[in-house]
Amino acid sequence: MIGSSLLMLVLLIVENAGSVVSPVVTFNPDLNKIFTGQSLQMTCDVDSTLQEDITYFWFKNDNWIHSEKTFSIASALSSDSGNYQCQTSASDLSDSTRLEVYNELFSLPTITQSPQLVTEGDHVTLTCHTRLSPHRKTTVLQFAFYREGQNIQEFSSANTYEIPFVKLSDSRDYKCEVQTSDYRIKKASTTTTIQVNRIGERELFNQSETEVTSKPGTSHVITAVAVTSLVLVLFLIITALMFLYRTKQFSLPGDNKPSSKAEFEEPNDETENIYTDLNTNTARWQSFSQNPQEAMKDHVTENHYIVC
């Protein structure tokens, strides 16, 4: 009788032990790879036939961390990566479930402008750049733009902001912001400043830039050539004036020859004087042509004697 009772007890213990079901760890959202800043909730699911008045135990890397049916991570950190298990007072320990938390779902955004040199009336485009993690290429991102801290374009799928006709008053600080569609991760860019120039300042800037980037020494060569040309022109003008002056100073009083031979057949005293002066001037001209300096000296000396 006693032996039969012991056998029945052993069979009951074995039967009860085989009926115990291990719990299962589930994630919400159903992802075991998340990024820093995201939220996650873990649940310890057990057989519903078990009594409700049970205790839950959570373990991370074999260390106890929590004592409720759910375990939540509000803003994930890299240190939240690990192996998670749960157990109840009426069940065995669950299988290990791995959670991976990556540093960035997307890179820190940057904002750029086009064109870089802006003048009144230009069409300016601001672009918000970021890079998604290769693990979540399908993630939907939204972009917003701000000027001096004030929102100028609400969150949308467009990563650009257009200024069709820029004005001087648009010379302000701008930045952009990126967030996930579930609003769990949000990042802002650094600030960029748009400097709008007045009309005409661009041409002045381009002219100055051209002068700075021109070949060294070119302006000096041009100046030397110009000065040399001017000196040569002045020299030619002075030479021509001197030639005209000397030609006028020593020109003969008459170039026409007598029209008939009869005029020379019977010269009178007045005609002889004219011929004498003509011969004298002709001799002077020939002497000047051969040796201008000596001729000038004689001419001056003769005048001097006459005055005296």
Side-chain angles (χ1 to χ4, degrees):
M1 185 69 177
I2 295 176
S4 299
S5 298
L6 290 174
L7 179 60
M8 290 293 294
L9 180 61
V10 170
L11 292 174
L12 181 61
I13 294 174
V14 171
E15 183 180 358
N16 290 335
S19 64
V20 175
V21 179
S22 299
V24 177
V25 175
T26 59
F27 292 158
N28 182 27
D30 189 15
L31 298 170
N32 65 340
K33 294 180 180 179
I34 62 175
F35 298 88
T36 53
Q38 287 187 294
S39 61
L40 180 72
Q41 186 180 67
M42 303 180 190
T43 302
C44 187
D45 291 327
V46 295
D47 189 353
S48 60
T49 59
L50 296 178
Q51 55 183 343
E52 295 182 0
D53 190 16
I54 57 176
T55 305
Y56 294 86
F57 304 94
W58 283 94
F59 301 89
K60 174 189 174 186
N61 298 331
D62 298 327
N63 296 313
W64 175 82
I65 57 172
H66 194 58
S67 297
E68 293 182 3
K69 184 176 182 178
T70 59
F71 173 64
S72 300
I73 299 176
S75 180
L77 302 174
S78 299
S79 58
D80 290 323
S81 298
N83 298 314
Y84 290 83
Q85 293 174 286
C86 72
Q87 185 179 14
T88 70
S89 56
S91 69
D92 290 336
L93 188 67
S94 71
D95 292 333
S96 176
T97 302
R98 180 71 183 177
L99 174 66
E100 293 288 352
V101 180
Y102 296 98
N103 288 329
E104 300 298 342
L105 177 58
F106 54 89
S107 62
L108 191 69
T110 58
I111 186 171
T112 60
Q113 72 178 57
S114 179
Q116 291 295 319
L117 183 61
V118 180
T119 304
E120 287 180 291
D122 285 349
H123 184 113
V124 179
T125 301
L126 295 176
T127 304
C128 193
H129 303 273
T130 189
R131 180 175 49 84
L132 271 170
S133 168
H135 301 286
R136 296 285 293 277
K137 285 292 187 180
T138 59
T139 301
V140 177
L141 298 178
Q142 296 179 338
F143 304 85
F145 289 85
Y146 301 85
R147 177 174 59 195
E148 300 292 344
Q150 300 296 320
N151 181 261
I152 54 177
Q153 182 167 296
E154 298 290 341
F155 279 105
S156 68
S157 59
N159 70 329
T160 59
Y161 174 73
E162 307 286 340
I163 307 178
F165 193 85
V166 72
K167 303 181 294 295
L168 291 176
S169 59
D170 292 319
S171 297
R172 302 289 183 88
D173 293 336
Y174 296 80
K175 71 175 182 178
C176 66
E177 198 170 34
V178 184
Q179 69 176 13
T180 57
S181 57
D182 58 5
Y183 315 110
R184 293 181 179 181
I185 301 179
K186 182 184 294 186
K187 298 180 182 180
S189 71
T190 55
T191 300
T192 187
T193 302
I194 294 181
Q195 181 61 50
V196 182
N197 300 309
R198 296 182 182 275
I199 297 177
E201 291 183 358
R202 174 182 293 180
E203 289 74 11
L204 180 61
F205 175 82
N206 292 336
Q207 181 180 357
S208 302
E209 186 179 36
T210 302
E211 292 176 355
V212 171
T213 57
S214 61
K215 184 178 180 180
T218 302
S219 59
H220 299 288
V221 173
I222 295 176
T223 303
V225 172
V227 172
T228 303
S229 301
L230 180 61
V231 171
L232 180 59
V233 170
L234 291 176
F235 175 77
L236 293 176
I237 292 175
I238 293 174
T239 303
L241 291 175
M242 291 180 63
F243 177 77
L244 292 175
Y245 173 77
R246 291 179 178 180
T247 301
K248 182 178 180 181
Q249 183 72 20
F250 299 100
S251 62
L252 296 177
D255 292 332
N256 296 326
K257 294 182 180 181
S259 57
S260 65
K261 185 177 179 180
E263 297 180 2
F264 295 97
E265 292 180 353
E266 296 181 357
N268 51 28
D269 295 339
E270 183 178 357
T271 303
E272 289 181 356
N273 293 334
I274 293 176
Y275 289 159
T276 301
D277 293 338
L278 179 62
N279 292 334
T280 301
N281 290 334
T282 302
R284 287 178 178 177
W285 174 250
Q286 292 177 349
S287 176
F288 175 78
S289 300
Q290 296 175 358
N291 195 340
Q293 295 181 354
E294 293 296 332
M296 288 291 295
K297 184 184 297 184
D298 295 340
H299 179 70
V300 172
T301 302
E302 180 179 349
N303 291 338
H304 177 73
Y305 289 157
I306 293 173
V307 172
C308 292

